[in-house]
Amino acid sequence: SSPSVDGPGISQITFMSKPTTRTVFTYLAVLCAAGALYGISCAPGTVWQDSGLIQYRVWHGDIQGRLGLALSHPLYYIIAIGAGHIPLGEFGHRVNCLSALFGAVAVANLYLLMRLWLGRAFPAVVAALTLALSHTFWWHASIAETYTLWVALFLGELICLLQYTRTRKAGFLYLLGLLNGMAVAVHMLGSIPLACYMVFIGILLVRKAIGARDAAVVALLWIAGALPYEYLIATSMLNSGDILGTLASAAFGDRWRADVLNTALSWKILKENILLTILNFPTPNILLALGGCYGLYKSAPAAFRNVVLALLVLLLLFASRYTAPDRYAFFIPFYCMVAMLIGLGVQEIVSRVRHRAVSWAIVTMCFLSVGVYAVAPPLARRANVGLGTRQDIPYRNDYEYFLRPWRTGYTGAERFATEALEAVESGAIIRADITTVAPLLYVQEVKGVRPDVRIVSGVASSDGVSPLNKYTMTTLLTQHPIYVVSRMPGYCPDFILADYTLTRAGVLWRVAENNKTAEHGGH
């Protein structure tokens, strides 16, 4: 251990410079406990929307995807495709469990980070518990998603940064570069910490704390870590010849530039941000983050503290004005920082009030969030709280689906897809939307149900299927029964809603010509 630093609170303790045997043992215990929680919470098979499309891409070995390079997440898919070949249980469950594994590593990494930083196990355990039981992180550890792997790498980066500022060993900087490169190859969120690290390394160079050789090694290892993403960018440039367009796709995807670059912050968005934060930290422990701000202000090492503060501000600013429909997921890195602040706040409390009752109260408050998530759906339904969701998906109670983070035993997506496929005629066409197309394709291809049915959507379709649009609709309707999943605007094509009649057929809607369509030949 390094010498203790003078001053009250956090700075009175002796900081750790390396893990002890007991710390390693506790790290493994936290890893196993979080793994058990998320393993139990995992959905047993196919799931809705983006997570279902992740399973579908893994099934097809698709590393690039169809929504732009920023949404390719190649390193995640390389790992997931490998895991998908392990012949244990349901394929969809294996992909979901990968998120659980990465989530457990992330929680354990947060424990290790705080243990090394603060020198005490209790604040580190509270910080890890806080993140583990936060709504959005827990939710994404229960379904196929990329964020838990990114968080595990991000927290690994902070461990390396902390250890470098303690020991001045360049090896920690090298590993930091490698991990951040890998994080960028998982998700472009890694570019935000990258900017902070570049400034940090630039300052080290100016102060001659490291040499140009060290900076070059960091850069080369970063390039090695980000290689899967760099490969996609390079091949896209070569195939398209469009350098600027490829770089835009790598930064924003195909159609999210306005969301990423949005600078407007309306009252509606601000209110949503507050509600999302409350949902993730629905206990009095959130107040400990205020004490954590004070602890961060006077904590050491100063260089590490300054990077953490910069990340806290940048990650909050990025997520708070992001306007994509799944914006709640982009708060996950900020929630990691809040969990760190809560750990710092616990350190401030226990260094001043040495009483077991206080410690037990803090731990009990951590688990209070589980009870909140359990009772929230019926209370929200009774109060008729609007969630902003579509609420027309069969076998999905949106209050339970969105307010409870666990997916234990949830088979609604597979039940819907099986029932839809088995109910239609031979050769039928089902026009799905982004929420429902993945379960339909999954049940058809992975489960082998009704391969004669053609599934069409704007993001994925059955192989060899003809495009379904206002120009082909009339001809296709004379040759095939056609169904849609929803008649809600935005989820059902406008030309179908305007020119055709929809009749309920089980979990689907059957499309038929109306008088106007027949008179005008389908146009």
Side-chain angles (χ1 to χ4, degrees):
S1 300
S2 59
S4 60
V5 182
D6 294 333
I10 290 175
S11 56
Q12 284 183 337
I13 67 167
T14 299
F15 291 108
M16 296 176 58
S17 61
K18 61 183 180 179
T20 63
T21 301
R22 183 176 180 181
T23 301
V24 173
F25 176 80
T26 310
Y27 176 92
L28 295 175
V30 172
L31 177 68
C32 291
L37 171 67
Y38 296 147
I40 293 170
S41 302
C42 259
T46 185
V47 285
W48 305 105
Q49 206 160 339
D50 292 353
S51 300
L53 289 170
I54 287 174
Q55 293 173 327
Y56 181 71
R57 278 182 59 184
V58 173
W59 175 255
H60 281 269
D62 179 6
I63 295 174
Q64 181 165 340
R66 306 178 185 178
L67 300 175
L69 293 176
L71 282 81
S72 60
H73 314 305
L75 181 57
Y76 169 85
Y77 282 96
I78 291 171
I79 298 171
I81 290 166
H85 285 91
I86 300 173
L88 294 174
E90 167 79 24
F91 172 80
H93 187 233
R94 293 199 295 271
V95 182
N96 294 335
C97 280
L98 201 59
S99 292
L101 174 61
F102 294 143
V105 173
V107 170
N109 281 355
L110 180 58
Y111 164 79
L112 181 58
L113 171 65
M114 301 305 291
R115 180 71 176 89
L116 292 171
W117 188 9
L118 304 181
R120 286 181 177 174
F122 182 67
V125 168
V126 172
L129 263 177
T130 300
L131 177 63
L133 300 180
S134 62
H135 180 275
T136 308
F137 185 83
W138 187 354
W139 182 11
H140 285 76
S142 301
I143 53 178
E145 278 292 350
T146 63
Y147 296 99
T148 55
L149 173 57
W150 185 89
V151 171
L153 292 168
F154 170 60
L155 293 172
E157 295 164 22
L158 294 184
I159 291 171
C160 292
L161 180 65
L162 173 66
Q163 293 302 83
Y164 171 76
T165 58
R166 291 275 176 76
T167 66
R168 298 298 172 179
K169 292 181 179 179
F172 288 115
L173 275 186
Y174 301 161
L175 185 55
L176 170 64
L178 177 65
L179 290 178
N180 183 252
M182 294 171 64
V184 169
V186 171
H187 202 292
M188 277 298 289
L189 277 170
S191 60
I192 297 175
L194 173 61
C196 295
Y197 305 149
M198 290 176 67
V199 172
F200 177 70
I201 290 174
I203 293 173
L204 292 178
L205 283 169
V206 170
R207 295 179 177 177
K208 298 183 179 181
I210 61 173
R213 177 184 173 278
D214 291 321
V217 172
V218 173
L220 288 173
L221 287 172
W222 187 94
I223 292 170
L227 192 60
Y229 199 42
E230 294 156 356
Y231 171 79
L232 291 184
I233 294 172
T235 54
S236 179
M237 286 181 178
L238 291 173
N239 292 334
S240 68
D242 183 2
I243 295 177
L244 292 179
T246 298
L247 293 177
S249 176
F252 310 113
D254 282 351
R255 53 179 185 270
W256 286 273
R257 181 193 298 262
D259 297 304
V260 174
L261 299 179
N262 175 57
T263 57
L265 187 61
S266 66
W267 168 245
K268 177 178 180 294
I269 293 177
L270 182 60
K271 183 172 67 172
E272 287 178 357
N273 295 343
I274 295 171
L275 292 175
L276 286 170
T277 303
I278 292 173
L279 178 63
N280 278 271
F281 306 103
T283 80
N285 278 357
I286 186 61
L287 299 176
L288 294 171
L290 299 176
C293 292
Y294 172 70
L296 178 63
Y297 168 74
K298 63 186 184 59
S299 65
F304 179 73
R305 173 193 66 209
N306 293 338
V307 174
V308 168
L309 180 60
L311 285 169
L312 176 68
V313 173
L314 291 175
L315 291 171
L316 175 59
L317 286 176
F318 178 80
S320 63
R321 36 96 266 152
Y322 196 60
T323 54
D326 60 346
R327 58 190 297 270
Y328 53 85
F330 288 84
F331 277 91
I332 290 176
F334 171 68
Y335 297 151
C336 293
M337 310 305 290
V338 173
M340 291 169 61
L341 287 179
I342 289 174
L344 288 163
V346 171
Q347 181 77 304
E348 288 293 327
I349 293 293
V350 298
S351 65
R352 289 170 168 78
V353 184
R354 300 181 182 276
H355 200 290
R356 286 192 174 186
V358 174
S359 299
W360 278 111
I362 291 172
V363 172
T364 302
M365 289 298 128
C366 288
F367 288 100
L368 182 62
S369 60
V370 181
V372 172
Y373 303 145
V375 302
L379 293 178
R381 188 188 310 113
R382 198 172 305 148
N384 199 27
V385 175
L387 299 179
T389 58
R390 54 188 293 184
Q391 297 184 326
D392 71 329
I393 302 296
Y395 308 121
R396 191 179 84 177
N397 180 320
D398 280 9
Y399 287 106
E400 294 181 0
Y401 191 79
F402 287 102
L403 295 180
R404 286 179 184 160
W406 52 85
R407 295 289 172 266
T408 309
Y410 180 75
T411 59
E414 183 171 336
R415 183 180 176 187
F416 153 77
T418 303
E419 187 172 322
L421 288 168
E422 291 181 344
V424 301
E425 301 91 330
S426 178
I429 297 175
I430 300 176
R431 205 297 180 177
D433 52 62
I434 192 171
T435 305
T436 58
V437 65
L440 288 166
L441 290 168
Y442 180 97
V443 169
Q444 183 181 67
E445 297 184 19
V446 179
K447 297 287 190 177
V449 177
R450 296 298 303 275
D452 59 298
V453 176
R454 303 176 184 183
I455 301 164
V456 184
S457 83
V459 293
S461 301
S462 302
D463 291 337
V465 67
S466 301
L468 183 67
N469 53 48
K470 64 181 180 180
Y471 304 108
T472 62
M473 184 69 180
T474 301
T475 301
L476 289 174
L477 195 56
T478 62
Q479 300 171 351
H480 306 276
I482 297 179
Y483 296 83
V484 295
V485 173
S486 174
R487 61 176 183 178
M488 289 183 63
Y491 297 99
C492 181
D494 292 340
F495 71 90
I496 292 180
L497 292 174
D499 299 330
Y500 294 86
T501 298
L502 300 179
T503 305
R504 172 61 83 177
V507 295
L508 301 173
W509 296 86
R510 177 144 187 179
V511 182
E513 287 188 332
N514 57 29
N515 294 334
K516 176 183 174 182
T517 308
E519 290 173 3
H520 293 275
H523 298 286

